[in-house]
Amino acid sequence: MNKKNLSERDICTKFITPALEKVGWDKLRQLREEVTFTAGKVIVRGTLTTRGAKKRADYILSYKPNIPIALIEAKDNNHSIGAGMQQGLEYAEHLDIPFIFSSNGDGFLFHDKFSGTEVELALNQFPSPEDLWERYRQAKGFTDGEEKIVTEDYFFGAQAKTPRYYQTVAVNRAIEAIAKGQDRVMVVMATGTGKTFVASQIIYRLWKSRAKKRILYLADRNILVDQTISNDFKHFGDKMVKVENRKVDKSYEVYLALYQAVSGTEEEKNIYKQFSPDFFDLIIVDECHRGSARADSAWREILEYYTSATQIGLTATPKETHDVSNIDYFGEPVYVYSLKQGIQDGFLAPYKVIRVALDKDLEGYRPEKGKHDKYGHEIEDREYNISDYDKRLVIEKRTEVVAAKITEYLRKTDRFAKTIVFCVDIDHAERMRQALVNQNFDLVAQNYKYIMRITGDNPEGKAELDNFIDVESKYPVIVTTSKLLTTGVDAQTCKLIVLDTNINSMTEFKQIIGRGTRIREDYGKLYFTIIDFRNATKLFADPDFDGEPEQVYVSPEDGDDVVPPGEGPDTGDGGGDDIPPGDDNGDSKPRKYYVNDVEVIVLNERVLYYDKDGKLITESLKSYTQKNIQNEFETMDDFLRRWNSADKKAAVIEELRELGILFEELQEEVGKDLDPFDLICHIVYDKKPLTRTERANNVRKKDYFAKFGEQAQAVLGALLDKYADDGIANIESMEVLKLEPFNQLGSPQKIIKLFGTKERYLEAVKELERELYA
């Protein structure tokens, strides 16, 4: 057998897998081949979506299921033994795997991340599971007791979810930290990446190993606790109880509770003190950014009462302000899985942004002297701007314009796309509901629940929250809110987020964006849109938007003034400032002025796109394209050489897409149906473009077809028509011969015979391309 003639897969089957099995790697429980561990980034092209390449490891070896310790990258025998090492190291970084091997079937190159060394091994020298685990155990310094905890099995039930790679990393990192005695642990995971599932596996493994016998899970919203009980925690069954109605039963092992249900301002209401300080061994704090780390909060008192318990903080957005620090309390995160990484991996939905600029927002508004509002209050004479609108001054026609733009977008796309409109406060949310009802009266007449306000003070709206987040429920479609939906609400099919509120807190911004990041491919939800009326999306450009959590304190005047639920004046919705219209606040000035005779117009509307790294493109699309192309092809001659030398033009187009070139969006901006070749030549190198139809007609005028038979000419003519309609990529595919009108000329095999052989047919297509771009 000549190894040089074998494929990579043959090398795996004939040499690598047998070498692993020979030293005891179990194919059922320890050895997994061709493991795809990402979903492939969602790429949005206009209104269409496609998936990018998925990351796939040739082998992942686990000491026990979901405790991976080694990775192997294989190559065919025309490569060296170490040819796969760099790719293996990159994958191992994602997967948190310490031992990496590369092989071409002759042997292995072994990289140990603990020591940083590499050594070659013969095929028969691959280490056994016990050998590698012992190496791992010694590097980590586990005692027998610690090893018992970190090797405890995951929960594997009949309907148990298979952990994604990053969830496995998060669970294993937390378990190892706790096994080594760390009593304060923080895990940071972007909204929509499964924090409660991670929490359930951490709890299960610690509980089964008896390292932790009694557990308290704390959240700040009823819906979060109820979702957790019915979904990720359901396997705890009768061992689990929800603390409610201020009743205490000490016979359970897993307790779930609202902060508010176990604490209160009066001493007798603090039912958590009915448990002894050492009753719980483990406390999980969900959404810990919401105030648990605030030094003077009622929530913090609970954590300090159970100070002997191990405490884990879970959050998408660690909060670091002048008086709140998650890192100060829980310590540096043991693991961070960011929004950017989630989008790159294809587990989270990407977004596009539409910024709408209104004249009064950009220019400000100053009332004429002595002007009164609709309730007869004389309006204070000063300059009002976007930070005042709906908080101090209500311009009613502004609300109507915003509602009209939202409706216009939905009419163009999908009027039943689940939508959340974030408003300044409850009063603003109610006025926005009314304005949207008037814009959508036809659908409201069919079902009044088409648009609803869901805020903390409104039981009718809150009762519909479950229906809004239920993927099977049609209504409500549009909800207006202020703070109630900013965090924790699992709105999986939300396709549109509208920002008509001033957001100065990065924590709040990330939480709001998180309402749209979940993917539901089965419901056509692969990306979401943000319509921004207050320039809040400027925060995308902030390095803190998706950087590593840092312990940076912000002064109060910098605007991080989000008040945790239960600690501010508006305990229902966190919004505050919800005095009814026309009421005053005890002095001569009303809380808000309401004007209904000030016109508002849309000055401009701009669609912003994000680049290949997930950052918003803030420059013009043309400038962005010029910069990216010229970084790759300095001159037009460089570009033409690459284009003309390519066996398939579609490959060059795909390379350019990977550079971040947005062809569909460029076509829309240019306003012409241009070939990608002409788009680049025109936008980057300032050459006059030709449409695809013009290029096809130029070829027809030449005598190029004369050397082919009549039927072959008909095929080439049809290919030209196909190019004019659909572009170059389609005529390069053999699949085109199965479509109209080619199938009327015969089968693909018959059409190819018109040119003699398949090679001659493909050469004729290449000639046709050369003529098109001559």
Side-chain angles (χ1 to χ4, degrees), residues 633 639 642-658 663:
F633 307 105
F639 172 67
R642 176 69 187 98
W643 183 264
N644 292 328
S645 66
D647 284 338
K648 289 193 172 183
K649 310 305 182 203
V652 181
I653 294 169
E654 200 52 44
E655 286 173 22
L656 296 174
R657 287 192 195 281
E658 289 177 10
F663 288 113

Side-chain angles (χ1 to χ4, degrees), residues 273-293:
K273 291 187 177 178
Q274 294 182 40
F275 297 99
S276 63
D278 60 354
F279 183 83
F280 293 109
D281 306 307
L282 176 66
I283 297 177
I284 306 281
V285 187
D286 191 25
E287 306 288 0
C288 67
H289 66 277
R290 298 286 288 171
S292 55

Side-chain angles (χ1 to χ4, degrees), residues 291-300 319 323-325 562-564 567:
S292 55
R294 190 181 178 99
D296 60 350
S297 73
W299 303 354
R300 181 72 167 263
K319 194 166 187 182
D323 60 357
V324 181
S325 173
V562 176
V563 181
E567 296 177 28

Side-chain angles (χ1 to χ4, degrees), residues 9-68:
R9 190 84 311 255
D10 289 336
I11 292 292
C12 292
T13 303
K14 297 178 183 296
F15 298 97
I16 298 176
T17 301
L20 301 177
E21 291 182 303
K22 190 172 182 179
V23 292
W25 290 96
D26 184 344
K27 279 198 83 167
L28 293 178
R29 303 189 78 234
Q30 296 177 307
L31 190 162
R32 291 191 297 153
E33 294 188 55
E34 296 190 282
V35 183
T36 299
F37 60 91
T38 69
K41 180 181 176 182
V42 175
I43 301 166
V44 183
R45 293 171 178 168
T47 57
L48 303 176
T49 56
T50 187
R51 288 274 191 178
K54 300 176 181 180
K55 287 186 168 67
R56 186 180 69 186
D58 291 324
Y59 291 84
I60 292 179
L61 307 181
S62 300
Y63 180 62
K64 296 184 76 174
N66 294 312
I67 305 178

